[in-house]
Amino acid sequence: MKHVTDEEMIGQVYGEGENTAAVARHLADCRECAENFAELQRDLAALNRAETPARDARYGERVWASIAPLLPVYRMEKRRWWSNGLVKGLGYAAACALLVSCAFYAGRVWEQKQLQQQPVAQVQPKVPQIKQPIVVVVLDDHLDRSERFLVELKHADLDSAAMDSPMRDEARSLLASNRVCRRNAAEARDPELTTALDHLDRLLAEAANEPDGLNAQTIARLQDEMNADGVLFEVRVLRSRIARHEGPGNNPAKGGTI
């Protein structure tokens, strides 16, 4: 004879079984299952008598008092003067200036050697000065950091001031390197790059030189200016333009140009 399972007995107690009538007939005919069913009812009835104790208004205070001594104490580390964003920005600016100067000097030397190797009869008239080469790897790094800063500014939480100081430090760092890139873009006579860096420079200058910090009102104003000038869109367009030059024949690690 097939006996009733525990699941079927539980369903019978709560009236949720699929075939309660058949289970009831089996319990009436089978003494063993009837005893097990009666024992299950007693166990469930005992469980129903347990009640959750009521919590008074000081329950949370007592819980916190019991776990507070076990929690580690958080201590804010003192920031060093050499780890701030200004020194980091000056380092980026110096690296940009050095790389651009080396690339310009190498281009001038190569041009002079080419002119010396040509026969006198084949010397062509002097053409206007071509655009000064801009090192792609340096410009791409600057635009990548600028894009991440603009995205962070766009999605900044106006109700929280936790990110105000890091954002202002990053703006100061980006402003220093952006000034170097703007100067090189002006010498290279690249209107699209110059316009985008000018828009970015105004935004970074306001974020870096805000005397009262980047509060909610300042962040909202910077977001409006960023959207009005389309700075984030311009930066992404320039990055896509650089990516097209990073093919097999133009390796940015060797100082490619745009």
Side-chain angles (χ1 to χ4, degrees):
M1 176 183 297
K2 182 179 179 181
H3 295 286
V4 179
T5 64
D6 294 340
E7 291 78 5
E8 291 175 335
M9 289 185 183
I10 295 174
Q12 188 72 11
V13 172
Y14 294 105
E16 298 177 354
E18 297 180 356
N19 194 357
T20 56
V23 174
R25 288 194 300 270
H26 181 83
L27 293 175
D29 298 335
C30 179
R31 181 177 179 181
E32 181 180 354
C33 291
E35 292 177 355
N36 293 336
F37 182 69
E39 184 178 356
L40 176 63
Q41 286 180 316
R42 289 192 298 271
D43 294 340
L44 294 178
L47 291 176
N48 292 335
R49 297 191 185 95
E51 296 181 357
T52 304
R55 298 176 180 177
D56 56 13
R58 298 180 59 83
Y59 175 77
E61 297 180 4
R62 292 197 301 272
V63 173
W64 174 252
S66 63
I67 65 175
L70 304 177
L71 298 177
V73 179
Y74 173 75
R75 296 179 180 177
M76 181 178 296
E77 296 182 358
K78 184 178 180 181
R79 298 188 61 183
R80 307 296 183 184
W81 66 270
W82 59 81
S83 64
N84 58 21
L86 180 60
V87 176
K88 183 179 179 182
L90 293 177
Y92 276 111
C96 291
L98 178 61
L99 289 175
V100 173
S101 301
C102 292
F104 178 73
Y105 178 76
R108 297 290 294 177
V109 172
W110 180 83
E111 182 182 358
Q112 292 177 3
K113 288 185 177 180
Q114 290 295 109
L115 293 176
Q116 293 175 0
Q117 293 175 0
Q118 292 180 355
V120 177
Q122 297 181 0
V123 174
Q124 300 295 331
K126 187 176 180 180
V127 297
Q129 184 179 4
I130 61 175
K131 295 192 303 181
Q132 179 183 356
I134 297 194
V135 181
V136 174
V137 66
V138 177
L139 182 60
D140 186 47
D141 178 73
H142 173 66
L143 294 177
D144 177 66
R145 293 176 57 221
S146 300
E147 181 180 358
R148 285 187 275 112
F149 172 81
L150 293 174
V151 171
E152 184 179 8
L153 176 63
K154 180 179 180 181
H155 299 286
D157 186 5
L158 301 181
D159 297 330
S160 175
M163 298 174 61
D164 293 350
S165 179
M167 288 180 62
R168 184 171 60 178
D169 293 343
E170 182 65 9
R172 292 174 177 174
S173 174
L174 289 170
L175 182 61
S177 57
N178 192 71
R179 295 288 169 83
V180 177
C181 293
R182 280 181 65 205
R183 183 170 60 252
N184 296 328
E187 296 175 357
R189 299 177 184 178
D190 190 334
E192 182 181 4
L193 179 60
T194 301
T195 302
L197 292 179
D198 287 343
H199 291 165
L200 180 61
D201 191 86
R202 289 197 297 269
L203 187 70
L204 292 175
E206 292 186 21
N209 300 324
E210 191 66 27
D212 298 330
L214 299 183
N215 51 32
Q217 182 179 1
T218 304
I219 292 177
R221 176 169 52 81
L222 292 176
Q223 290 174 344
D224 293 339
E225 294 180 6
M226 178 181 66
N227 295 330
D229 293 338
V231 181
L232 181 57
F233 176 77
E234 290 178 336
V235 171
R236 287 174 173 172
V237 170
L238 290 176
R239 292 205 64 203
S240 64
R241 194 179 79 176
I242 292 176
R244 291 196 298 269
H245 289 267
E246 293 180 355
N250 196 351
N251 187 355
K254 296 182 179 180
T257 62
I258 61 172

